[in-house]
Amino acid sequence: MTELLGSIWWLIVSLGVLVTFHEFGHYWVARRCGVRVLRFSVGFGKALWSRRGRDGTEYVIAAIPLGGYVKMLDEREGEVPDAQLGQAFNRKSVWKRIAIVAAGPIANLLLCVALLWAMFVIGRPDYAPVVGSTDGIAAEAGLQAGDRVLAVGERETPTWSDLQLALIPAALDRADVELRVRDAAGRESDTTLPLSALPADFDERRIIDAIGLVPRHLLVPPVIGRVAPDTAAWGVLAEGDRITAIDGHPVQAWNDIGPLVQQLGERDGTAMVEVERDGDRLALELAPTRIQPEGGGEPYWALGVSSVRPQMPPMDAELRHGPLAAVPAALRETVHQAGELVSMIGRAFTGRVEVENTVAGPITIARAANAYADQGPAWYLSLLAMLSLSLGILNLLPIPILDGGHLLYYLIELVKGSPVSERTMAVGQYVGLLLIVGLMGLAFYNDIVNNLMR
């Protein structure tokens, strides 16, 4: 399956699951509150499939899978026979209307817990939170190659993904954080990562790079893939050689080679380059040559070798719990991620984070769903859980048209003792529609900029 077809497929599956659960929440509570449900639709537009149930509800799968709705009997939307007035939504008490409207977001929150539980039980493979190399802020904090980050603040980081997610909010807030670290020798210590030193204009989409952290699993091995003709290494080094040391300095990864070669060139010297070749260890004498880049630029010293095409190593960590332990773990993760999402929304509204980095459109979601699905069911479940949580919380925002806007009307009704006027609700609907259209426009713009123009 190509990336395009895969992305479309997983977008449809993801939205179908999320929307179905959301609308089922409204439907289930409405039925138990005595409201007649006229239609349960997954998607908008022309019906691709429909069936009328024994309860009189029309169940529909529509052509545009970007949402859904539950249509209830309501005097504000059409004439209601006298015999059915008791089943009309608008005739129910304010508390029942609140329960019906809140049921959709609550269903998404419950779905998030269930999906995270399944993810923990299946086990999500990942990489260990081990540092490969450091630069900038990370190096200033004393982090070194081989260090395993055990926790960021009070949050444990059993995998590299957990480490990233823990560092992102602190970096956005420019807040220094405490790290608990175990070095390669097994010694544990605490260190402060000075994220307040991050520049004001750093790329918020590349936070880990800005901090100066390179994970161990992204290091390219120091294995020669090609030797360029008529260079210093030509006839001395060979494809497949693994460089282990240059001038007595050990080489652990490919990015160790460049600085050592530059130092050697600045001394205008010859050094021993130690390699492993076909099981043998060799020490070969070599002197780098000075290269002038084509088209200008600063000259540099080089051996004339390039690396093999990097391949991702196998994952060496797993996020897993037993069926019972996964229940509190899923609840804790849901609460934590909900708090982080609310904080991110707050950062966006207060301008502490770029809005284009917080609002994703269908193209971004589709590509993410396809990428996560390719990594296995546990990864896809984790993404689906976060999307469900996002849908639930965003629907609770007090914006007319959204569930949160209706809940705001009902809270006002509780306070003043009478429903909000139809005129006020109509104005609110227009304002809410403009806000939603604006957010959708921003989401599509971000999709175009981040996916089609890069």
Side-chain angles (χ1 to χ4, degrees), residues 122-130 148 157-162 216-217 313-320 378-379:
I122 294 172
R124 191 185 72 189
D126 206 329
Y127 290 102
V130 178
R148 178 186 288 261
T157 55
T159 69
W160 186 265
S161 297
D162 290 303
R216 181 181 63 185
H217 61 271
M315 294 184 180
D316 54 357
E318 187 177 51
L319 195 60
R320 181 193 290 270
W379 276 96

Side-chain angles (χ1 to χ4, degrees), residues 99-447:
I100 293 168
V101 171
I106 291 174
N108 282 124
L109 298 180
L110 294 175
L111 177 61
C112 175
V113 175
L115 291 169
L116 288 174
W117 176 86
M119 179 205 71
F120 283 129
V121 171
I122 294 172
R124 191 185 72 189
D126 206 329
Y127 290 102
V130 178
V131 177
S133 65
T134 61
D135 191 12
I137 292 174
E140 293 173 10
L143 292 174
Q144 298 178 353
D147 285 350
R148 178 186 288 261
V149 181
L150 303 175
V152 176
E154 298 298 321
R155 184 165 174 80
E156 294 184 353
T157 55
T159 69
W160 186 265
S161 297
D162 290 303
L163 173 59
Q164 286 183 297
L165 290 175
L167 288 176
I168 286 172
L172 293 175
D173 292 338
R174 309 299 201 282
D176 297 346
V177 293
E178 291 293 321
L179 304 184
R180 190 164 76 251
V181 177
R182 180 188 299 143
D183 65 19
R187 297 183 295 266
E188 293 190 13
S189 62
D190 294 329
T191 186
T192 300
L193 191 61
L195 298 181
S196 56
L198 282 168
D201 58 348
F202 79 92
D203 189 345
E204 296 172 351
R205 291 163 300 186
R206 302 176 63 86
I207 287 176
I208 301 301
D209 291 343
I211 294 173
L213 280 175
V214 177
R216 181 181 63 185
H217 61 271
L218 289 185
L219 291 180
V220 178
V223 177
I224 297 173
R226 178 176 180 272
V227 180
D230 302 323
T231 60
W234 183 251
V236 181
L237 301 179
E239 294 180 5
D241 284 354
R242 184 183 189 92
I243 299 176
T244 59
I246 295 177
D247 197 22
H249 299 283
V251 172
Q252 303 292 335
W254 189 265
N255 61 344
D256 294 335
I257 297 174
L260 293 176
V261 171
Q262 300 312 306
Q263 294 175 17
L264 183 60
E266 293 300 330
R267 294 204 318 266
D268 195 22
T270 299
M272 303 304 294
V273 177
E274 300 174 36
V275 302
E276 291 181 358
R277 179 185 297 172
D278 299 328
D280 297 326
R281 298 181 67 89
L282 306 175
L284 306 171
E285 193 173 60
L286 203 58
T289 55
R290 195 165 178 80
I291 303 296
Q292 178 64 53
E294 295 182 7
E298 290 292 328
Y300 61 93
W301 297 93
L303 298 179
V305 296
S306 56
S307 65
V308 296
R309 184 175 182 177
Q311 294 182 344
M312 291 296 288
M315 294 184 180
D316 54 357
E318 187 177 51
L319 195 60
R320 181 193 290 270
H321 296 290
L324 293 180
V327 175
L331 289 170
R332 287 194 302 270
E333 188 65 17
T334 299
V335 171
H336 175 77
Q337 294 299 335
E340 292 297 334
L341 180 57
V342 171
S343 298
M344 189 65 72
I345 293 173
R347 293 185 187 98
F349 276 104
T350 56
R352 286 182 292 156
V353 64
E354 296 293 336
V355 177
E356 58 263 29
N357 294 331
T358 60
V359 181
I363 297 176
T364 300
I365 295 173
R367 294 186 65 179
N370 184 57
Y372 275 64
D374 284 345
Q375 295 185 73
W379 276 96
Y380 178 68
L381 289 174
S382 69
L383 174 68
L384 201 58
M386 294 306 102
L387 291 176
S388 185
L389 179 65
S390 300
L391 179 60
I393 290 179
L394 291 175
N395 260 284
L396 288 174
L397 293 177
I399 298 176
I401 293 184
L402 297 180
D403 294 330
H406 293 292
L407 291 175
L408 178 62
Y409 290 149
Y410 301 148
L411 291 176
I412 294 174
E413 181 178 341
L414 282 174
V415 173
K416 66 191 292 280
S418 60
V420 176
S421 68
E422 292 189 9
R423 178 181 176 83
T424 300
M425 292 184 66
V427 172
Q429 293 291 92
Y430 282 116
V431 172
L433 181 61
L434 289 175
L435 288 173
I436 295 301
V437 170
L439 285 174
M440 290 178 63
L442 177 60
F444 278 105
Y445 171 79
N446 289 343
D447 270 351

